[in-house]
Amino acid sequence: MTRLAEHLSIGQVAERSGVPHTALRFYEEKGLISSERSAGNQRRYARSVLRRIAFIRAAQRVGLSLEDISAALATLPVDHAPTKADWARLSRDWQHELDARIDALQRLRDRLTGCVGCGCLSLRSCALYNNDDQLARYGPGAGKLRPAVEGGI
């Protein structure tokens, strides 16, 4: 049985993760992942970087910012691969944020469905219409689409 290499080249990480070399370099520049340099000055990544990259991509897919992702990754150990307990803690920490995003997406889905093709002929009953910008006092953006936990209308 062949033992897996402890470290991977940037090409191997790109192939295994499905993330282009350029994105890996960008993630490294932003401190989201790290590598060591070989004697020939080539990047070498610990195998555990694949989990970090999967986490980064999943978090990006749900719309989390790189700043949020970076802050979350900063809570994970750097001297060894995160444990199941580390990932569970991170998941608990993000529960509120993810629930708020799910709520916002459901509101958007439900309210836009009624708008498709309506041409806003009934502005009095439109779930998105903001007559005379009355919702400005609640801050920027589409106030009626904000999750209730953020003070949505």
Side-chain angles (χ1 to χ4, degrees), residues 1 11 16 26-27 98 111 121 138:
M1 179 185 240
R16 291 283 311 278
F26 176 76
Y27 291 162
L98 293 175
R111 292 181 177 179
L121 297 175
Y138 296 107

Side-chain angles (χ1 to χ4, degrees), residues 15-30:
E15 182 179 338
R16 291 283 311 278
S17 67
V19 175
H21 300 83
T22 53
L24 295 174
R25 288 187 200 100
F26 176 76
Y27 291 162
E28 192 169 348
E29 180 183 309
K30 295 295 181 185

Side-chain angles (χ1 to χ4, degrees), residues 7-8 10 24-25 28-29 34-46:
H7 288 86
L8 304 170
I10 193 168
L24 295 174
R25 288 187 200 100
E28 192 169 348
E29 180 183 309
S34 62
S35 68
E36 298 173 2
R37 294 294 183 150
S38 70
N41 202 31
Q42 296 174 327
R43 286 180 168 87
R44 294 290 183 251
Y45 296 92

